[in-house]
Amino acid sequence: MEAQATRTTAAAPVNGVPGPLAADGTHGLFRASDAVFAELSGPRHVVETANPAFFRALGREEATGVPLAEFAPELTEQGIMDLLDGVHRTGRPYTARGARVLLGPPGAMNEAYYDFAYEPRRGPDGQVVGVTALGVDTTAVRHARQLAAEQRALLEQIALDAPVGDVLRAMTAAIEELDPGVLVSVLLADADGRHLRHGAAPSLPDFYNRAIDGIAVGEGVGSCGTAAHRRETVVAADIATHPYWEDFREPALRAGLAACWSTPVTGTDGRLLGTFAMYHRVPLMPREADLALAAAVARTAALAVERHQIKRARERAEAEERAARQDLAFVLEASTRIGRDLDFGDSLRRLAELSVPALAPMSAVDVLEGGRLRRVAAFTAGDRGGRWPRESARSGLRPDGEMAARVLESGATEVARRPRAPGGSWASPATGAYR
């Protein structure tokens, strides 16, 4: 009887939202609509009629004649049933904008935002016999606005030359905030483009980040290695069964990861810069909106990485230019000062002194006399004050005999690398010959 009464009544417009039409007109109007529509009967809010969008939103198969609280229990704990009770009890409509709701069965709930209206439905005697629910999903609009705001903030960081690591961490955190069900990872390509290194992954466990750090770029190497190889998005909807994840399945499942969608990050010249991956804890295929989001974020990541690489290249070029200017200044100064000295030995000692620290932290000059090397000058940064050390005190600077022979024969500089001390930094002594 409740259902018969509710299907023959209509409500007046409330707050600019039209009330339900006559039963046949209502069903025809909302059947193919993306807007959520349902007619609920009685104080238990039995689902009398509803369009497909209503059932899709709730993540359930179509069913009628069931109290809404039993059909979708998650609505009770979110206060939605209390709102419907209020409309049924008072006869006053209720509207809201941008309301956050979690919809779906346990283990498969999705966050969404809705503009909705609950309107009382009255019988011939004017008594409230049910509630009509109308809703419009505004999740995509909300996310688009949030993404645009985050993109602007990231672009400002990039323009201010913020460290690329900071930009990538902010970007991944922003995406995870937009979609709480996703875990984001950015891998960066090595200089040779053959391997991918950890870039940013704020929510993935450290053991997993270590497991995939340095993976090869190639077909079948997880989602990221394959996406980098193909230069296209690769979707593994179920890591537990996907063949690309054979070598990484154990750490992925241990980290609670069930799906991975990876998008390549490429530069303006098509060069591989890295990958942007979205992980989920349940097997899942991406929607068109998910793929569009990944593509947009990958473009932002490419801008940040390219900007960083350009900055690093500029810094290296500037450092090389400064070094070249310093070398030229040294040569000019050394030539001028040595030219004033008539004594050969004093000139060589002056050369050793001027080399420190302009060219190296220590310097020594050996001359060939009678087929044997003799040290005539040696100097270190601690020797300032005009004190010339003896040859024996600087035996560590003596070049290897074979190396010296090669240098003297060829006239070309050689560099030998050896550690200064166990666990210490590497020294690069250079030996040059002049004839």
Side-chain angles (χ1 to χ4, degrees):
M1 294 297 293
E2 273 186 345
Q4 188 175 18
T6 57
R7 291 173 63 88
T8 58
T9 59
V14 178
N15 292 342
V17 180
L21 304 177
D24 292 341
T26 301
H27 301 158
L29 178 64
F30 286 104
R31 184 72 189 173
S33 174
D34 289 330
V36 170
F37 167 78
E39 289 182 335
L40 309 175
S41 298
R44 298 183 64 197
H45 313 296
V46 175
V47 179
E48 181 181 325
T49 61
N51 68 345
F54 173 82
F55 295 106
R56 285 198 303 268
L58 294 179
R60 270 89 172 181
E61 296 292 331
E62 295 190 20
T64 57
V66 183
L68 184 59
E70 296 178 12
F71 186 66
E74 70 273 15
L75 301 181
T76 300
E77 59 192 40
Q78 297 177 70
I80 294 176
M81 300 310 300
D82 290 339
L83 294 176
L84 292 171
D85 288 343
V87 174
H88 191 277
R89 184 178 62 255
T90 65
R92 291 194 297 268
Y94 180 89
T95 61
R97 289 187 177 277
R100 177 181 178 272
V101 290
L102 296 173
L103 303 175
M109 299 182 72
N110 292 306
E111 181 187 56
Y113 292 85
Y114 276 85
D115 291 346
F116 63 82
Y118 300 149
E119 302 180 18
R121 299 167 55 230
R122 301 182 185 274
D125 58 358
Q127 297 298 310
V128 176
V129 295
V131 177
T132 296
L134 296 170
V136 177
D137 188 345
T138 60
T139 306
V141 175
R142 180 185 179 88
H143 283 181
R145 290 173 179 169
Q146 288 181 322
L147 180 60
E150 295 292 348
Q151 291 279 73
R152 285 194 296 271
L154 291 172
L155 291 175
E156 288 176 2
Q157 282 188 284
I158 295 171
L160 293 173
D161 284 331
V164 67
D166 291 350
V167 175
L168 295 179
R169 282 188 290 272
M171 181 184 71
T172 53
I175 300 305
E176 291 181 351
E177 184 178 353
L178 283 175
D179 187 352
V182 71
L183 299 90
V184 176
S185 168
V186 175
L187 299 179
L188 299 177
D190 275 347
D192 61 6
R194 296 179 180 178
H195 295 86
L196 298 172
R197 298 292 180 182
H198 173 71
S203 298
L204 293 177
D206 290 339
F207 77 83
Y208 180 76
N209 288 330
R210 290 193 297 269
I212 64 172
D213 183 31
I215 64 169
V217 173
E219 184 70 18
V221 185
S223 297
C224 293
T226 307
H229 173 69
R230 294 182 182 177
R231 301 295 203 277
E232 64 182 32
T233 297
V234 171
V235 173
D238 188 352
I239 290 175
T241 60
H242 202 287
Y244 295 171
W245 282 84
E246 182 176 351
D247 294 336
F248 307 98
R249 202 178 329 274
E250 189 277 329
L253 296 180
R254 185 153 55 96
L257 306 176
C260 179
W261 318 329
S262 184
T263 300
V265 177
T266 55
T268 53
D269 57 356
R271 181 169 48 92
L272 177 68
L273 302 177
T275 58
F276 170 77
M278 302 172 71
Y279 291 88
H280 290 266
R281 296 198 181 279
V282 294
L284 195 64
M285 283 293 292
R287 302 165 299 180
E288 287 298 325
D290 297 320
L291 298 177
L293 172 63
V297 175
R299 287 193 294 269
T300 302
L303 181 60
V305 175
E306 276 195 311
R307 178 99 174 191
H308 170 71
Q309 292 181 346
I310 291 172
K311 180 184 178 183
R312 291 287 299 275
R314 183 175 66 246
E315 290 173 347
R316 286 195 297 269
E318 291 173 349
E320 292 172 358
E321 183 182 355
R322 285 194 301 271
R325 288 199 301 266
Q326 291 170 354
D327 289 349
L328 178 59
F330 165 75
V331 170
L332 293 175
E333 180 184 4
S335 299
T336 301
R337 294 179 64 178
I338 291 175
R340 298 194 187 106
D341 297 322
L342 299 179
D343 182 80
F344 175 69
D346 287 346
S347 296
L348 294 179
R349 288 192 290 272
R350 184 67 57 82
L351 176 63
E353 178 183 11
L354 293 174
S355 299
V356 178
L359 299 182
M362 52 188 177
S363 175
V365 179
D366 298 271
V367 296
L368 182 66
E369 293 181 348
R372 301 186 64 180
L373 285 175
R374 181 174 70 86
R375 176 152 299 172
V376 296
F379 202 83
T380 70
D383 291 328
R384 294 298 177 195
R387 184 168 53 84
W388 300 100
R390 296 179 177 274
E391 176 182 346
S392 59
R394 290 293 178 266
S395 59
L397 286 175
R398 178 172 297 283
D400 175 80
E402 293 184 4
M403 179 180 180
R406 290 195 304 271
V407 169
L408 290 170
E409 181 179 356
S410 66
T413 298
E414 284 195 24
V415 175
R417 294 181 62 86
R418 57 180 179 267
R420 185 169 54 188
S425 61
W426 286 80
S428 298
T431 300
Y434 301 90
R435 293 181 291 186

